């Protein structure tokens, strides 16, 4: 897969392998924490220590719903873009992301990586290790998935800065 | 007859300053964190990278200090980008 800027207004993903297309399609679903407490705690981390009682209460009442709306909106945008992913059997896929959607993609990819890393309890050391394991457990495959999403984030950031 | 409501806004900027602190997170990419600092605070890339590296090496960095209301706004913006950010009273 190659990710590049397409003119001024879009980012183009070309030569998307079927396995890459599958991982991309999983992004919106992965972003759904399914009510997992630890994932929710990471997505909605505390903005202050417990001494800021009133601030924390106001945050929970007013800010948190706004953040949830923002995160859901990013997922929805990514899901709608993915419906346009060309997927003809025997051919590599292509996807064009409007540049105005790049923030939604970065956000959704970040949500997906944070949730996967939290659910599978990856350490900082594991997340910075790119060496291929000797055998692939489900956890090892998830780490590959996290790193795949990270590479896409890097390329989208590059493309938006070009 | 319309009633005039006069609101008195308490000026908090003269009180104790508040810090906007970003904490290390192994998931967020260095390039992503740098980009977020540029966008939220209007930093140059060099300044944003300096703070990103401080977060990475020291575990935290104070991104901004000043009035409480503005600090709350910045913390909210950073949470929107999924960074670990907190509001702390400046020492």
């Amino acid at each position: 897969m190659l990710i590049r800027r397409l003119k001024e207004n879009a980012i183009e993903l070309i030569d998307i392998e079927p396995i890459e297309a599958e991982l991309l399609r999983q992004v919106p679903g992965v972003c759904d924490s399914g009510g997992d407490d630890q994932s929710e705690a990471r997505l909605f981390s505390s903005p202050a220590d417990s001494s800021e009682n009133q601030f924390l209460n106001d945050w929970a009442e007013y800010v948190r719903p706004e953040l949830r709306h923002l995160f859901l909106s990013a997922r929805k945008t990514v899901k709608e873009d993915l419906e346009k992913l060309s997927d003809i059997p025997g051919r590599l896929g292509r996807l064009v992301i409007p540049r105005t959607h790049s923030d939604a993609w970065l956000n959704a990819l970040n949500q997906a990586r944070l949730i996967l890393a939290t659910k599978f309890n990856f350490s900082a050391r594991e997340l910075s290790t790119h060496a291929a394991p000797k055998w692939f457990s489900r956890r090892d495959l998830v780490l590959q998935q996290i790193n795949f999403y990270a590479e896409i984030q890097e390329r989208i950031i590059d493309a938006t800065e070009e | 007859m319309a009633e005039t409501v006069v609101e008195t806004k308490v000026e908090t900027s003269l009180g104790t300053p508040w810090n906007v602190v970003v904490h290390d997170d192994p998931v967020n990419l260095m390039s992503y964190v740098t980009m977020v600092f540029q966008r939220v605070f209007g930093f140059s890339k060099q300044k944003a990278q300096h703070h990103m590296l401080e977060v990475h090496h020291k575990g935290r960095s104070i991104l901004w200090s000043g009035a409480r209301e503005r600090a709350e706004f910045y913390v909210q913006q950073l949470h929107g980008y999924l960074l670990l950010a907190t509001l702390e009273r400046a020492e």
Side-chain angles (χ1 to χ4, degrees):
Chain A
M1 180 170 64
L2 174 68
I3 301 175
R4 62 188 181 190
R5 190 164 159 181
L6 182 66
K7 298 179 183 171
E8 289 298 310
N9 303 319
I11 296 165
E12 183 183 38
L13 287 68
I14 57 169
D15 296 344
I16 302 172
E17 297 282 352
I19 181 66
E20 293 171 327
E22 174 55 29
L23 289 173
L24 287 171
R25 288 199 177 94
Q26 286 183 16
V27 170
V30 170
C31 289
D32 183 355
S33 69
D36 177 65
D37 288 343
Q38 285 186 314
S39 299
E40 285 281 299
R42 178 54 194 88
L43 289 182
F44 304 99
S45 62
S46 179
D49 66 33
S50 55
S51 66
E52 291 294 322
N53 218 358
Q54 184 59 49
F55 173 58
L56 293 175
N57 288 339
D58 289 346
W59 182 277
E61 187 172 353
Y62 301 110
V63 179
R64 193 168 165 155
E66 280 184 33
L67 292 172
R68 189 176 293 282
H69 176 76
L70 174 71
F71 300 156
L72 285 171
S73 173
R75 290 181 218 169
K76 184 169 176 279
T77 299
V78 167
K79 191 175 181 183
E80 287 170 358
D81 284 345
L82 283 167
E83 285 167 5
K84 295 166 193 153
L85 196 161
S86 65
D87 196 14
I88 302 166
R91 286 193 190 176
L92 298 178
R94 177 176 181 265
L95 176 64
V96 174
I97 301 171
R99 201 163 176 211
T100 51
H101 293 185
S102 60
D103 277 1
W105 273 82
L106 290 174
N107 194 299
L109 288 165
N110 228 29
Q111 290 180 56
R113 295 175 58 246
L114 285 167
I115 287 175
L116 288 173
T118 303
K119 278 186 176 171
F120 286 83
N121 198 26
F122 284 110
S123 66
R125 188 176 177 185
E126 286 174 301
L127 290 165
S128 63
T129 302
H130 291 277
K134 288 178 183 170
W135 54 281
F136 285 89
S137 64
R138 183 170 177 208
R139 198 162 180 276
D140 292 318
L141 291 170
V142 168
L143 184 56
Q144 302 300 316
Q145 187 173 11
I146 290 171
N147 289 332
F148 174 68
Y149 292 159
E151 291 300 328
I152 295 172
Q153 278 190 299
E154 293 276 18
R155 298 290 85 75
I156 291 175
I157 291 169
D158 287 346
T160 54
E161 286 182 343
E162 279 173 8
Chain B
M1 186 176 146
E3 190 176 333
T4 303
V5 177
V6 179
E7 287 185 295
T8 303
K9 190 173 180 181
V10 178
E11 181 57 69
T12 55
S13 62
L14 296 176
T16 310
W18 291 80
N19 293 335
V20 174
V21 183
V22 171
H23 304 264
D24 191 27
D25 179 333
V27 176
N28 282 314
L29 300 171
M30 290 181 171
S31 57
Y32 179 76
V33 173
T34 302
M35 182 201 77
V36 171
F37 290 171
Q38 286 180 273
R39 287 194 185 179
V40 173
F41 298 100
F43 290 168
S44 65
K45 186 156 193 173
Q46 190 181 18
K47 187 172 180 181
Q49 282 176 330
H50 167 79
H51 281 285
M52 177 275 292
L53 288 171
E54 192 170 47
V55 172
H56 184 64
H57 293 302
K58 296 183 179 175
R60 54 182 269 146
S61 179
I62 296 172
L63 272 292
W64 189 86
S65 291
R68 166 96 186 203
E69 196 175 335
R70 191 81 181 156
E72 287 182 11
F73 170 76
Y74 283 139
V75 169
Q76 183 176 342
Q77 294 287 301
L78 293 164
H79 277 242
Y81 287 101
L82 293 152
L83 300 197
L84 291 175
T86 55
L87 180 74
E88 293 180 5
R89 193 186 294 269
E91 303 253 328

PDB file of all heavy atoms in Angstrom, chain A residues 31-48:
ATOM      1  N   CYS A  31     -12.739   0.766  17.396  1.00  0.00           N
ATOM      2  CA  CYS A  31     -12.906   1.994  18.193  1.00  0.00           C
ATOM      3  C   CYS A  31     -14.029   1.865  19.223  1.00  0.00           C
ATOM      4  O   CYS A  31     -14.103   2.675  20.151  1.00  0.00           O
ATOM      5  CB  CYS A  31     -13.236   3.187  17.293  1.00  0.00           C
ATOM      6  SG  CYS A  31     -11.872   3.740  16.290  1.00  0.00           S
ATOM      7  N   ASP A  32     -14.904   0.900  19.045  1.00  0.00           N
ATOM      8  CA  ASP A  32     -15.983   0.708  19.999  1.00  0.00           C
ATOM      9  C   ASP A  32     -15.437  -0.078  21.194  1.00  0.00           C
ATOM     10  O   ASP A  32     -15.105  -1.251  21.066  1.00  0.00           O
ATOM     11  CB  ASP A  32     -17.125  -0.058  19.323  1.00  0.00           C
ATOM     12  CG  ASP A  32     -18.312  -0.226  20.237  1.00  0.00           C
ATOM     13  OD1 ASP A  32     -18.217   0.174  21.425  1.00  0.00           O
ATOM     14  OD2 ASP A  32     -19.326  -0.767  19.780  1.00  0.00           O
ATOM     15  N   SER A  33     -15.346   0.595  22.320  1.00  0.00           N
ATOM     16  CA  SER A  33     -14.748  -0.045  23.505  1.00  0.00           C
ATOM     17  C   SER A  33     -15.635  -1.152  24.070  1.00  0.00           C
ATOM     18  O   SER A  33     -15.183  -1.945  24.899  1.00  0.00           O
ATOM     19  CB  SER A  33     -14.499   1.002  24.583  1.00  0.00           C
ATOM     20  OG  SER A  33     -15.738   1.464  25.098  1.00  0.00           O
ATOM     21  N   GLY A  34     -16.885  -1.167  23.641  1.00  0.00           N
ATOM     22  CA  GLY A  34     -17.814  -2.182  24.138  1.00  0.00           C
ATOM     23  C   GLY A  34     -18.079  -2.027  25.632  1.00  0.00           C
ATOM     24  O   GLY A  34     -18.414  -2.988  26.315  1.00  0.00           O
ATOM     25  N   GLY A  35     -17.881  -0.809  26.129  1.00  0.00           N
ATOM     26  CA  GLY A  35     -18.133  -0.571  27.551  1.00  0.00           C
ATOM     27  C   GLY A  35     -17.009  -1.032  28.460  1.00  0.00           C
ATOM     28  O   GLY A  35     -17.143  -0.988  29.683  1.00  0.00           O
ATOM     29  N   ASP A  36     -15.894  -1.465  27.878  1.00  0.00           N
ATOM     30  CA  ASP A  36     -14.753  -1.904  28.679  1.00  0.00           C
ATOM     31  C   ASP A  36     -14.252  -0.738  29.547  1.00  0.00           C
ATOM     32  O   ASP A  36     -13.894   0.324  29.018  1.00  0.00           O
ATOM     33  CB  ASP A  36     -13.634  -2.395  27.742  1.00  0.00           C
ATOM     34  CG  ASP A  36     -12.388  -2.786  28.504  1.00  0.00           C
ATOM     35  OD1 ASP A  36     -12.452  -3.757  29.272  1.00  0.00           O
ATOM     36  OD2 ASP A  36     -11.347  -2.108  28.332  1.00  0.00           O
ATOM     37  N   ASP A  37     -14.233  -0.953  30.865  1.00  0.00           N
ATOM     38  CA  ASP A  37     -13.923   0.144  31.791  1.00  0.00           C
ATOM     39  C   ASP A  37     -12.545   0.750  31.549  1.00  0.00           C
ATOM     40  O   ASP A  37     -12.386   1.973  31.566  1.00  0.00           O
ATOM     41  CB  ASP A  37     -14.009  -0.349  33.243  1.00  0.00           C
ATOM     42  CG  ASP A  37     -15.440  -0.586  33.675  1.00  0.00           C
ATOM     43  OD1 ASP A  37     -16.346  -0.070  32.989  1.00  0.00           O
ATOM     44  OD2 ASP A  37     -15.655  -1.288  34.677  1.00  0.00           O
ATOM     45  N   GLN A  38     -11.556  -0.094  31.330  1.00  0.00           N
ATOM     46  CA  GLN A  38     -10.193   0.418  31.149  1.00  0.00           C
ATOM     47  C   GLN A  38     -10.062   1.222  29.855  1.00  0.00           C
ATOM     48  O   GLN A  38      -9.389   2.256  29.816  1.00  0.00           O
ATOM     49  CB  GLN A  38      -9.196  -0.734  31.149  1.00  0.00           C
ATOM     50  CG  GLN A  38      -8.943  -1.291  32.554  1.00  0.00           C
ATOM     51  CD  GLN A  38      -7.845  -2.323  32.558  1.00  0.00           C
ATOM     52  OE1 GLN A  38      -7.811  -3.210  31.706  1.00  0.00           O
ATOM     53  NE2 GLN A  38      -6.940  -2.220  33.516  1.00  0.00           N
ATOM     54  N   SER A  39     -10.711   0.729  28.799  1.00  0.00           N
ATOM     55  CA  SER A  39     -10.662   1.457  27.524  1.00  0.00           C
ATOM     56  C   SER A  39     -11.367   2.803  27.655  1.00  0.00           C
ATOM     57  O   SER A  39     -10.885   3.820  27.164  1.00  0.00           O
ATOM     58  CB  SER A  39     -11.331   0.639  26.415  1.00  0.00           C
ATOM     59  OG  SER A  39     -10.661  -0.581  26.240  1.00  0.00           O
ATOM     60  N   GLU A  40     -12.514   2.787  28.340  1.00  0.00           N
ATOM     61  CA  GLU A  40     -13.243   4.045  28.551  1.00  0.00           C
ATOM     62  C   GLU A  40     -12.399   5.015  29.371  1.00  0.00           C
ATOM     63  O   GLU A  40     -12.362   6.208  29.086  1.00  0.00           O
ATOM     64  CB  GLU A  40     -14.561   3.760  29.298  1.00  0.00           C
ATOM     65  CG  GLU A  40     -15.626   3.126  28.430  1.00  0.00           C
ATOM     66  CD  GLU A  40     -16.327   4.145  27.538  1.00  0.00           C
ATOM     67  OE1 GLU A  40     -16.937   5.072  28.056  1.00  0.00           O
ATOM     68  OE2 GLU A  40     -16.245   3.984  26.310  1.00  0.00           O
ATOM     69  N   ALA A  41     -11.707   4.468  30.378  1.00  0.00           N
ATOM     70  CA  ALA A  41     -10.875   5.328  31.228  1.00  0.00           C
ATOM     71  C   ALA A  41      -9.733   5.943  30.423  1.00  0.00           C
ATOM     72  O   ALA A  41      -9.310   7.061  30.696  1.00  0.00           O
ATOM     73  CB  ALA A  41     -10.318   4.511  32.388  1.00  0.00           C
ATOM     74  N   ARG A  42      -9.245   5.216  29.429  1.00  0.00           N
ATOM     75  CA  ARG A  42      -8.158   5.777  28.621  1.00  0.00           C
ATOM     76  C   ARG A  42      -8.687   6.815  27.621  1.00  0.00           C
ATOM     77  O   ARG A  42      -8.065   7.848  27.397  1.00  0.00           O
ATOM     78  CB  ARG A  42      -7.402   4.671  27.862  1.00  0.00           C
ATOM     79  CG  ARG A  42      -6.283   5.200  26.976  1.00  0.00           C
ATOM     80  CD  ARG A  42      -5.309   6.083  27.756  1.00  0.00           C
ATOM     81  NE  ARG A  42      -4.420   6.852  26.892  1.00  0.00           N
ATOM     82  CZ  ARG A  42      -4.704   8.063  26.396  1.00  0.00           C
ATOM     83  NH1 ARG A  42      -5.874   8.641  26.660  1.00  0.00           N
ATOM     84  NH2 ARG A  42      -3.840   8.695  25.646  1.00  0.00           N
ATOM     85  N   LEU A  43      -9.831   6.514  27.008  1.00  0.00           N
ATOM     86  CA  LEU A  43     -10.398   7.473  26.052  1.00  0.00           C
ATOM     87  C   LEU A  43     -10.822   8.760  26.757  1.00  0.00           C
ATOM     88  O   LEU A  43     -10.714   9.844  26.197  1.00  0.00           O
ATOM     89  CB  LEU A  43     -11.617   6.875  25.334  1.00  0.00           C
ATOM     90  CG  LEU A  43     -11.366   5.766  24.313  1.00  0.00           C
ATOM     91  CD1 LEU A  43     -12.688   5.340  23.683  1.00  0.00           C
ATOM     92  CD2 LEU A  43     -10.384   6.188  23.237  1.00  0.00           C
ATOM     93  N   PHE A  44     -11.337   8.586  27.981  1.00  0.00           N
ATOM     94  CA  PHE A  44     -11.824   9.744  28.730  1.00  0.00           C
ATOM     95  C   PHE A  44     -11.013   9.865  30.023  1.00  0.00           C
ATOM     96  O   PHE A  44     -11.526   9.634  31.116  1.00  0.00           O
ATOM     97  CB  PHE A  44     -13.320   9.592  29.013  1.00  0.00           C
ATOM     98  CG  PHE A  44     -14.136   9.403  27.769  1.00  0.00           C
ATOM     99  CD1 PHE A  44     -14.539   8.138  27.365  1.00  0.00           C
ATOM    100  CD2 PHE A  44     -14.480  10.489  26.977  1.00  0.00           C
ATOM    101  CE1 PHE A  44     -15.279   7.951  26.199  1.00  0.00           C
ATOM    102  CE2 PHE A  44     -15.221  10.313  25.813  1.00  0.00           C
ATOM    103  CZ  PHE A  44     -15.613   9.042  25.413  1.00  0.00           C
ATOM    104  N   SER A  45      -9.761  10.220  29.860  1.00  0.00           N
ATOM    105  CA  SER A  45      -8.868  10.284  31.020  1.00  0.00           C
ATOM    106  C   SER A  45      -9.220  11.496  31.885  1.00  0.00           C
ATOM    107  O   SER A  45      -9.860  12.450  31.419  1.00  0.00           O
ATOM    108  CB  SER A  45      -7.412  10.347  30.557  1.00  0.00           C
ATOM    109  OG  SER A  45      -7.194  11.519  29.792  1.00  0.00           O
ATOM    110  N   SER A  46      -8.776  11.439  33.140  1.00  0.00           N
ATOM    111  CA  SER A  46      -9.107  12.513  34.080  1.00  0.00           C
ATOM    112  C   SER A  46      -8.314  13.775  33.743  1.00  0.00           C
ATOM    113  O   SER A  46      -7.109  13.710  33.513  1.00  0.00           O
ATOM    114  CB  SER A  46      -8.786  12.058  35.502  1.00  0.00           C
ATOM    115  OG  SER A  46      -9.075  13.100  36.386  1.00  0.00           O
ATOM    116  N   PRO A  47      -8.976  14.931  33.748  1.00  0.00           N
ATOM    117  CA  PRO A  47      -8.286  16.173  33.413  1.00  0.00           C
ATOM    118  C   PRO A  47      -7.649  16.860  34.619  1.00  0.00           C
ATOM    119  O   PRO A  47      -7.048  17.931  34.460  1.00  0.00           O
ATOM    120  CB  PRO A  47      -9.416  17.033  32.852  1.00  0.00           C
ATOM    121  CG  PRO A  47     -10.606  16.591  33.639  1.00  0.00           C
ATOM    122  CD  PRO A  47     -10.422  15.129  33.916  1.00  0.00           C
ATOM    123  N   ALA A  48      -7.787  16.290  35.810  1.00  0.00           N
ATOM    124  CA  ALA A  48      -7.206  16.902  37.003  1.00  0.00           C
ATOM    125  C   ALA A  48      -7.217  15.879  38.134  1.00  0.00           C
ATOM    126  O   ALA A  48      -7.850  14.820  38.020  1.00  0.00           O
ATOM    127  CB  ALA A  48      -8.022  18.136  37.413  1.00  0.00           C
TER     128      ALA A  48
END
